[in-house]
Short mmCIF file of all heavy atoms in Angstrom, two decimals:
data_model
loop_
_atom_site.label_atom_id
_atom_site.label_comp_id
_atom_site.label_asym_id
_atom_site.label_seq_id
_atom_site.Cartn_x
_atom_site.Cartn_y
_atom_site.Cartn_z
N ASN A 4 0.48 7.99 1.86
CA ASN A 4 0.12 9.37 1.43
C ASN A 4 1.00 10.36 2.23
O ASN A 4 1.04 10.40 3.49
CB ASN A 4 -1.32 9.60 1.81
CG ASN A 4 -2.27 8.64 1.04
OD1 ASN A 4 -1.95 8.30 -0.08
ND2 ASN A 4 -3.35 8.28 1.63
N ILE A 14 13.33 24.04 -0.73
CA ILE A 14 13.52 22.68 -0.16
C ILE A 14 12.21 21.91 -0.32
O ILE A 14 12.20 20.65 -0.60
CB ILE A 14 13.99 22.75 1.33
CG1 ILE A 14 15.39 23.34 1.38
CG2 ILE A 14 13.87 21.38 1.95
CD1 ILE A 14 15.82 23.68 2.79
N GLY A 15 11.09 22.55 -0.09
CA GLY A 15 9.82 21.85 -0.17
C GLY A 15 9.54 21.34 -1.62
O GLY A 15 9.11 20.20 -1.80
N ASN A 23 7.88 12.09 -5.42
CA ASN A 23 7.11 11.67 -6.55
C ASN A 23 7.80 10.72 -7.44
O ASN A 23 7.18 10.12 -8.32
CB ASN A 23 6.56 12.89 -7.33
CG ASN A 23 5.33 13.46 -6.74
OD1 ASN A 23 4.37 12.80 -6.53
ND2 ASN A 23 5.39 14.68 -6.30
N LEU A 25 9.44 8.13 -6.11
CA LEU A 25 9.57 6.90 -5.35
C LEU A 25 8.21 6.15 -5.38
O LEU A 25 7.15 6.76 -4.97
CB LEU A 25 9.95 7.21 -3.89
CG LEU A 25 11.27 7.95 -3.76
CD1 LEU A 25 11.48 8.36 -2.34
CD2 LEU A 25 12.45 7.13 -4.29
N GLY A 32 1.21 18.14 -2.67
CA GLY A 32 1.77 19.39 -2.16
C GLY A 32 0.72 20.49 -1.99
O GLY A 32 -0.25 20.48 -2.64
N GLN A 41 -10.79 22.07 -7.19
CA GLN A 41 -12.23 22.15 -7.18
C GLN A 41 -12.71 21.12 -6.19
O GLN A 41 -12.30 19.96 -6.29
CB GLN A 41 -12.78 21.83 -8.57
CG GLN A 41 -12.30 22.79 -9.65
CD GLN A 41 -12.75 24.21 -9.45
OE1 GLN A 41 -13.86 24.46 -9.00
NE2 GLN A 41 -11.86 25.15 -9.68
N GLY A 49 1.12 13.90 -6.98
CA GLY A 49 2.08 14.56 -7.87
C GLY A 49 1.70 15.98 -8.20
O GLY A 49 2.32 16.62 -9.01
N CYS A 54 -2.90 26.62 -1.54
CA CYS A 54 -3.42 26.75 -0.19
C CYS A 54 -2.51 27.71 0.56
O CYS A 54 -1.34 27.45 0.79
CB CYS A 54 -3.48 25.40 0.49
SG CYS A 54 -4.25 25.51 2.18
N ILE A 62 -7.23 26.55 4.32
CA ILE A 62 -6.71 25.34 4.94
C ILE A 62 -7.85 24.30 5.14
O ILE A 62 -7.75 23.17 4.79
CB ILE A 62 -6.03 25.66 6.29
CG1 ILE A 62 -4.74 26.54 6.02
CG2 ILE A 62 -5.58 24.37 7.03
CD1 ILE A 62 -4.15 27.11 7.28
N PHE A 73 -8.97 10.61 0.04
CA PHE A 73 -8.16 9.72 0.94
C PHE A 73 -8.53 9.96 2.39
O PHE A 73 -8.94 11.02 2.77
CB PHE A 73 -6.67 10.02 0.76
CG PHE A 73 -6.17 9.80 -0.65
CD1 PHE A 73 -6.00 10.86 -1.50
CD2 PHE A 73 -5.97 8.49 -1.14
CE1 PHE A 73 -5.58 10.62 -2.82
CE2 PHE A 73 -5.52 8.27 -2.38
CZ PHE A 73 -5.34 9.36 -3.22
N ASP A 75 -6.36 8.83 4.99
CA ASP A 75 -5.17 9.00 5.88
C ASP A 75 -4.10 9.83 5.20
O ASP A 75 -3.92 9.89 4.01
CB ASP A 75 -4.52 7.62 6.15
CG ASP A 75 -5.38 6.70 6.91
OD1 ASP A 75 -6.11 7.16 7.79
OD2 ASP A 75 -5.41 5.49 6.58
N TYR A 80 5.39 16.90 5.76
CA TYR A 80 6.65 17.67 5.76
C TYR A 80 6.37 19.12 5.79
O TYR A 80 5.63 19.60 4.87
CB TYR A 80 7.53 17.28 4.57
CG TYR A 80 8.11 15.86 4.64
CD1 TYR A 80 7.46 14.81 4.11
CD2 TYR A 80 9.31 15.64 5.33
CE1 TYR A 80 7.94 13.53 4.15
CE2 TYR A 80 9.92 14.39 5.38
CZ TYR A 80 9.18 13.32 4.82
OH TYR A 80 9.68 12.05 4.87
N GLY A 84 8.05 28.57 3.82
CA GLY A 84 8.94 29.68 4.11
C GLY A 84 8.10 30.83 4.65
O GLY A 84 6.87 30.78 4.79
#
Side-chain angles (χ1 to χ4, degrees):
N4 298 327
I14 293 170
N23 278 302
L25 303 173
Q41 302 296 322
C54 183
I62 297 168
F73 300 102
D75 298 321
Y80 289 91

